[in-house]
Amino acid sequence: MNSEHAKAILSAYRPSGAEMAEPDFAKALEQARIDPELGRWFSAQQALDTQMRQALQSVQPPAHLKGSILAAKPIRVRRSRFHLSRPGMLALAACIVALLGAASLMLPQKSQLMTLASLTGEIVRMTNEDRITVAVSNEDSGKLNQWLAVRNAPHDFEFPPGLAGKSRLGCQVYSIHGNKVSLVCTRLEGGQVVHYFVIDRNRLKDPPPIGKPVFEQSDGISFATWSDAKSTFVMLHAGDVSDLRKLL
């Protein structure tokens, strides 16, 4: 399979990774891995698709929109001018706002430097709102690393001692304030699931100390944060802080 053929196939690839097991998509993904130019295009395409999906899910039409449209009177043309009733004008204005919002989705989301509090706060909200998912399920850390690399997300990182050698459940890539954040989920012997988030350290205004985990608890979620020279890590689970200390 050449890169042009792979590009045509990957243009239909969804960010959820649902097609990853299909032979044609698997071959196209492999081509994107070995062709840097195709890999960069695919990463940008997936980021845009993810932004569009998230933005569309957040759009809520005005509560009065349906009633305004139904109440609008027909447009009357007079000497090259038209007249809209007040309800019609409201409906038209609402449609214009919606169209402008949709158009803005086509623009790349600019990344913004974050504080550690904004990063952990968003991760805790995602957890409590049951928005944590995996795009690809695989126990092979190497394949998960490859999947993250294709998407230009953090991937070349170490796991803490308590997670080293454990079976992986899968991985995902999130965009938080335009910054790519990798997630790898691991199941422990007792059935507990630990979420391991990784972001480039230079994307934070106040990264946590290097090699010195800081433990916190918020809304029933325990998490630890620390950094190395390249990355910042957030490890969390729905349990006691003491459980995380044992893993580190």
Side-chain angles (χ1 to χ4, degrees), residues 28-62:
L29 287 171
E30 176 62 18
Q31 184 65 23
R33 186 186 70 81
I34 62 177
D35 183 339
E37 183 177 353
L38 179 61
R40 287 190 292 271
W41 171 86
F42 181 58
S43 177
Q45 187 75 15
Q46 288 290 283
L48 178 59
D49 288 347
T50 298
Q51 292 170 20
M52 292 181 67
R53 179 182 180 187
Q54 293 173 345
L56 287 173
Q57 289 175 340
S58 68
V59 172
Q60 295 292 330

Side-chain angles (χ1 to χ4, degrees), residues 138-141 163-170 185-188:
N138 202 303
E139 296 185 2
D140 188 331
S141 294
L163 296 185
K166 303 296 183 183
S167 176
R168 312 300 179 203
L169 294 177
C185 296
T186 302
R187 188 186 300 278
L188 305 180

Side-chain angles (χ1 to χ4, degrees), residues 56-76:
L56 287 173
Q57 289 175 340
S58 68
V59 172
Q60 295 292 330
H64 63 271
L65 179 58
K66 181 177 179 180
S68 298
I69 293 174
L70 294 175
K73 296 179 180 180
I75 299 174
R76 295 177 294 175

Side-chain angles (χ1 to χ4, degrees), residues 82-98:
F82 68 91
H83 172 74
L84 274 178
S85 63
R86 180 175 176 77
M89 293 178 65
L90 292 174
L92 178 60
C95 290
I96 291 174
V97 171

